[in-house]
Amino acid sequence: MSGPKVSVLTSIYNTDEGHLRECIESVLGQGFSDFEFIILNDSPDNVSLDKIVSSYDDARIRYVKNQTNMGISAARNKLLDLARGEYLAIFDHDDICLPTRLETQVAFLDANPAVGVVSGLMEVFSSRGTECVIAAPEYDTDIKIMLTRDCCVAHSAAMIRRSVLTDNAIRYEEYYTPAEDYRLWARLMACTHFYNIQQVLVRYRDHASRTSICRHQQMSRAHDAIALELQNTYPAYWREMRRSDNSNITVFRLRLFGCIPLLKIKNNRILLFECIPIFRIKWK
């Protein structure tokens, strides 16, 4: 019996109960249905999460509970080992999938066999409402250029060909936690092509207990180590990244009352409200 087309992989750890319900329901509400949803509980003493997951009567859910806490990278690797799908959809426990996420990414990977990682845009929201959409480069070369400085592939919105990981013996690395996602993309740069679909696929919840906030210093150190290694490994990409930085400098910004965007000069263009091009200028 063949496995499902997609394995949705989610690790939970003392997750807010309301956030977890929104996460689960956004996956079960997908228009694409040929998936398994593996939920790994890495907080063994939290029985309330057991009750939440068991309240969903859906055969696609596979619930696994660790006997002891493993940590995020080890938990992610356990999810990789449990997965049976051709494609792996990474999804964090406090985010929300848009209903077309899986079908959009499956259709893209089916049509583009050279691409091993496809992600998309994420819409940041919080208790205050929608805040912004995180932009990301679209094509492989542009993504790899930017990866030498920033993690520009949204992990919680990513879908990966499982064969790319297994064929190249690539897994999450504990040493780089909590930037294990950035390290994964760094390892995959030499193995496959990337693509970022230019539409929102996931809503990213901004709250005070996110790992990126709670472990900011550790993440920053790991990020810098990964970026430095990529700059040494891919000097041509890094040169292009620096050249792009130099040509995308904001030289003037005017805000009303110090906070309302009005005018900005960037890339020899005057932008109204910092985003609407008015006209191009030439410097003598």
Side-chain angles (χ1 to χ4, degrees):
M1 181 178 178
S2 62
K5 184 74 170 181
V6 176
S7 296
V8 181
L9 308 180
T10 299
S11 175
I12 63 178
Y13 176 78
N14 291 332
T15 307
D16 177 273
E17 295 181 13
H19 297 175
L20 180 58
R21 286 195 179 277
E22 288 185 276
C23 164
I24 292 173
E25 289 165 14
S26 76
V27 174
L28 299 182
Q30 292 291 300
F32 181 88
S33 61
D34 185 13
F35 66 84
E36 61 178 355
F37 185 14
I38 310 178
I39 302 173
L40 175 63
N41 187 352
D42 199 29
S43 48
D45 297 329
N46 194 328
V47 296
S48 64
L49 299 183
D50 302 340
K51 296 176 182 178
I52 290 174
V53 178
S54 64
S55 70
Y56 293 93
D57 184 18
D58 194 307
R60 294 172 297 182
I61 294 178
R62 295 173 58 196
Y63 182 57
V64 180
K65 187 169 184 177
N66 288 337
Q67 297 302 307
T68 58
N69 173 256
M70 300 177 68
I72 186 60
S73 289
R76 292 196 192 281
N77 284 329
K78 185 171 181 176
L79 284 166
L80 295 182
D81 294 336
L82 291 168
R84 299 174 298 170
E86 178 183 355
Y87 302 148
L88 309 177
I90 312 300
F91 189 46
D92 288 344
H93 61 162
D94 41 13
D95 294 336
I96 298 173
C97 276
L98 268 65
T100 58
R101 177 202 168 170
L102 295 185
E103 65 183 82
T104 299
Q105 292 182 304
V106 167
F108 183 87
L109 288 177
D110 282 350
N112 296 273
V115 175
V117 179
V118 60
S119 190
L121 307 185
M122 295 209 298
E123 179 184 78
V124 180
F125 75 102
S126 68
S127 58
R128 300 179 296 275
T130 299
E131 297 183 352
C132 67
V133 172
I134 302 175
E138 182 174 3
Y139 297 105
D140 180 67
T141 299
D142 296 325
I143 291 170
K144 288 174 178 176
I145 287 169
M146 186 167 283
L147 280 171
T148 61
R149 190 190 64 189
D150 296 311
C151 184
C152 60
V153 179
H155 190 238
S156 190
M159 184 176 285
I160 309 170
R161 267 182 219 281
R162 183 156 63 104
S163 60
V164 171
L165 296 178
T166 56
D167 292 350
N168 295 283
I170 292 176
R171 294 166 67 82
Y172 292 97
E173 297 179 47
E174 176 66 33
Y175 180 81
Y176 294 96
T177 301
E180 74 283 347
D181 55 337
Y182 189 15
R183 176 61 174 176
L184 187 73
W185 307 145
R187 292 283 309 280
L188 285 170
M189 279 178 66
C191 307
T192 193
H193 295 290
F194 292 77
Y195 186 80
N196 279 323
I197 296 171
Q198 297 297 292
Q199 66 186 71
V200 173
L201 299 179
V202 168
R203 301 190 71 217
Y204 174 95
R205 192 187 305 272
D206 182 22
H207 58 89
S209 58
R210 286 204 78 105
T211 301
S212 57
I213 297 175
C214 297
R215 303 176 69 181
H216 172 73
Q217 290 186 337
Q218 186 179 357
M219 177 171 283
S220 180
R221 287 194 296 269
H223 176 282
D224 291 349
I226 296 164
L228 182 60
E229 181 177 327
L230 288 176
Q231 290 158 21
N232 289 329
T233 304
Y234 300 100
Y237 286 150
W238 176 231
R239 284 195 299 272
E240 183 60 24
M241 185 72 254
R242 287 184 295 170
R243 188 202 64 78
S244 178
D245 282 343
N246 291 335
S247 64
N248 285 276
I249 298 174
T250 298
V251 297
F252 176 81
R253 176 181 280 117
L254 175 64
R255 297 191 174 196
L256 292 178
F257 311 113
C259 61
I260 302 174
L262 182 60
L263 292 175
K264 180 169 71 174
I265 300 176
K266 183 176 181 179
N267 299 338
N268 295 335
R269 289 182 180 274
I270 294 182
L271 307 175
L272 180 64
F273 306 124
E274 299 196 359
C275 62
I276 303 173
I278 303 176
F279 55 84
R280 182 181 292 274
I281 59 177
K282 289 186 177 181
W283 302 98
K284 296 291 185 181

